[in-house]
Amino acid sequence: ISALPSSLLDGSLENHLEMGKKLLAAGQLADALSHFHAAIDGDPKNYMAYYRRATVYLAMGKSKSALPDLSKVIELKPDFTSARLQRGNLLLKQGRLDEAESDFKKVLNSNPSDKDEKEAQSRLMKSDEIQKWVTQSRANFDHKDYITAVAHLDLIIETCVWDVSSRELRAECFIQMGEMGKAISDLTAASKLKSDNTQAFYKLSTIYYHLGDHEMSLNEVRECLKLDPDHEQCYSHYKQVKKLNKQIQSAEELIQQQRYGDAVSKYESVIKTEPNVPQYSHHAKERICHCLAQQQDVSRAITVCSEVLQSDPQNVNVLKDRAEAYLLEEQYEEAIKDYETAREHSENDRQIKEGLEKAQRLLKQSKKRDYYKILGVKRTAQKKEIVKAYRKQAQQWHPDNFQDPVEKKKAEKKFIDIAQAKEVLTDPEMRQKFDHGEDPMDPESQQGGHHQNFHSGFQGFNPFSSGQFNFKFNYQ
């Protein structure tokens, strides 16, 4: 009583009952409940106070709380037909068929009103029908006729909406049928309907795990261990899920830090930790593909990405990663194919649009001059490598090395290309333009922009003059 507000303690039993009744009619359920609490505290043997409180609980959707109150009413007043009828209906919804039938029979034997008699008779017939469906559904399940079992269980659950055992059996049927989403729905309901349902949480965790959702699996198995820290199955499963979850999280953190090599190693550990669930191997390879593409390990990236796409040909992320690798490998037509396939499944992806345009420009450019090929370096080459390659090529193709007029003319052309290649690839701005498909040395490609002078790589050479040449190199 001391826990109740002082305003409620002052009222008489009759006042609490009357006020609670008015508040219930007005829909003010919480206030009504407080008055009925006070009435029961004032007189623990007042059956009407329990009945009113049960009515509030039902209006609030708290059937579990209403059931003990209705049982108390029947204990205090066994001939209270309405309370027994209501309890029978709650027991029927919970799938407690024998107890429900007992209540309905007692109503029928108690000289009920026509309305109560009709309802009790109807509910008794329904319960009898459900008993037959229960027997049939279990026989169907035992004979592995899961489709028929589900059909019978659907009929049962339509009336017995809070029946835990029927939902668990239907979930098991769905698991056997491979309909994991429906199994999850039933098991989630079962875990809420039964407060200590560790087995439902364990099954939910294992389903999520085998679907590749390690985070949801971890959440569900933790709920199991909250109920029973010593649950053997849940604890064993928890250790496995936690290890896998930690590895995946660590790998993703490494990717965020652009530590792609370390991330590859971590995802390779994921495959070793769980080799029997394809979803994790698939996810790990998808992310390894991404990491290899980002760190420009082109050959391995293409191999791993292609392996993922064999089983998942519409994976947009992997298509984009492989396309990037193809670009670095200068396989522009292959890159275009991947971007176009990705675009079919993700039309508004800006990265795909930009990548496709870049690949198309580079393909067009590759049919003209390619400064990387002229110097014999990869697109990923650093400035130091480019300068070294330039010096080697410039010495080899220096026109003074050739006496034959035809060969000298060929060397002059080659020497100009080498100089221009060095100028473009050692200037960050010009190189960026070239990498995006624009030739900084081609006036048409410049679209009216400033045309760079290619003589900065060497001094004293006019390729368009005649007579003796005198070359002076500036290897800056």
Side-chain angles (χ1 to χ4, degrees), residues 289-290 292-294 296-299 301-306 309 315-343 351-360 362-363 379 435:
C289 153
H290 175 72
L292 293 172
Q294 290 299 309
Q296 300 181 344
D297 190 343
V298 178
S299 179
I302 292 172
T303 299
V304 176
C305 295
S306 298
L309 289 168
N315 190 313
V316 172
N317 290 327
V318 178
L319 285 166
K320 289 193 291 186
D321 285 326
R322 189 172 71 172
E324 283 294 319
Y326 277 139
L327 285 180
L328 293 170
E329 192 75 351
E330 300 175 20
Q331 297 185 42
Y332 305 124
E333 290 179 350
E334 295 300 322
I336 288 170
K337 286 180 186 176
D338 276 354
Y339 278 129
E340 287 178 339
T341 303
R343 185 177 61 181
Q351 188 181 359
I352 294 173
K353 183 176 181 291
E354 292 176 352
L356 180 58
E357 290 173 353
K358 178 181 177 181
Q360 290 168 337
L362 289 171
L363 177 62
R379 285 185 169 268
D435 284 345

Side-chain angles (χ1 to χ4, degrees), residues 323-333 335-336 339 354-373 379 425 430-440 445:
E324 283 294 319
Y326 277 139
L327 285 180
L328 293 170
E329 192 75 351
E330 300 175 20
Q331 297 185 42
Y332 305 124
E333 290 179 350
I336 288 170
Y339 278 129
E354 292 176 352
L356 180 58
E357 290 173 353
K358 178 181 177 181
Q360 290 168 337
R361 286 196 304 269
L362 289 171
L363 177 62
K364 184 178 179 181
Q365 183 189 81
S366 69
K367 296 175 181 178
K368 298 179 181 179
R369 283 190 301 182
D370 187 330
Y371 295 121
Y372 290 104
K373 285 185 178 178
R379 285 185 169 268
L425 298 184
M430 294 174 73
R431 184 176 181 179
Q432 186 179 30
K433 286 183 178 180
F434 183 73
D435 284 345
H436 284 81
E438 181 181 333
D439 187 349
S445 179

Side-chain angles (χ1 to χ4, degrees), residues 6-16:
S6 59
S7 60
L8 293 178
L9 292 172
D10 296 338
S12 67
L13 174 64
E14 291 75 15
N15 287 341
H16 284 309

Side-chain angles (χ1 to χ4, degrees), residues 210 271 273-278 281:
H210 285 92
I271 296 173
T273 298
E274 185 46 86
N276 299 318
V277 179
S281 297

Side-chain angles (χ1 to χ4, degrees), residues 81-241:
T81 304
S82 294
R84 196 177 287 280
L85 196 55
Q86 284 194 37
R87 187 176 73 170
N89 282 323
L90 289 181
L91 292 168
L92 182 61
K93 287 184 178 182
Q94 290 183 349
R96 294 160 65 177
L97 303 178
D98 291 341
E99 296 172 75
E101 287 181 9
S102 175
D103 273 344
F104 296 139
K105 287 175 181 177
K106 285 180 180 177
V107 168
L108 292 172
N109 293 329
S110 66
N111 243 350
S113 66
D114 289 344
K115 179 183 175 184
D116 287 347
E117 182 180 8
K118 187 177 180 180
E119 183 178 350
Q121 190 66 51
S122 171
R123 304 315 282 165
L124 190 60
M125 289 175 63
K126 174 58 72 174
S127 180
D128 186 55
E129 189 176 29
I130 291 171
Q131 292 274 24
K132 294 176 184 176
W133 291 337
V134 169
T135 302
Q136 289 173 338
S137 66
R138 296 192 183 282
N140 296 144
F141 181 82
D142 291 340
H143 288 90
K144 299 183 180 180
D145 184 0
Y146 303 118
I147 294 175
T148 308
V150 166
H152 284 125
L153 288 163
D154 286 345
L155 294 171
I156 295 167
I157 294 169
E158 189 177 317
T159 299
C160 307
V161 291
W162 303 326
D163 181 9
V164 175
S165 61
S166 291
R167 287 189 180 273
E168 289 179 336
L169 185 60
R170 190 170 68 174
E172 193 59 41
C173 290
F174 285 138
I175 291 170
Q176 297 300 323
M177 293 163 66
E179 297 191 36
M180 297 306 174
K182 292 180 179 179
I184 286 171
S185 178
D186 269 342
L187 287 169
T188 300
S191 71
K192 293 175 181 177
L193 290 168
K194 184 180 176 184
S195 57
D196 59 345
N197 201 340
T198 54
Q199 200 61 24
F201 284 118
Y202 172 70
K203 283 189 177 181
L204 280 168
S205 181
T206 56
I207 290 173
Y208 279 122
Y209 184 81
H210 285 92
L211 289 174
D213 193 338
H214 54 94
E215 291 180 341
M216 282 300 295
S217 178
L218 191 60
N219 290 341
E220 298 296 344
V221 79
R222 280 175 173 159
E223 291 300 319
C224 173
L225 292 172
K226 283 180 188 176
L227 295 171
D228 181 5
D230 299 321
H231 194 287
E232 189 175 341
Q233 287 178 305
C234 286
Y235 184 67
S236 175
H237 185 59
Y238 168 73
K239 288 192 293 183
Q240 171 70 4
V241 183

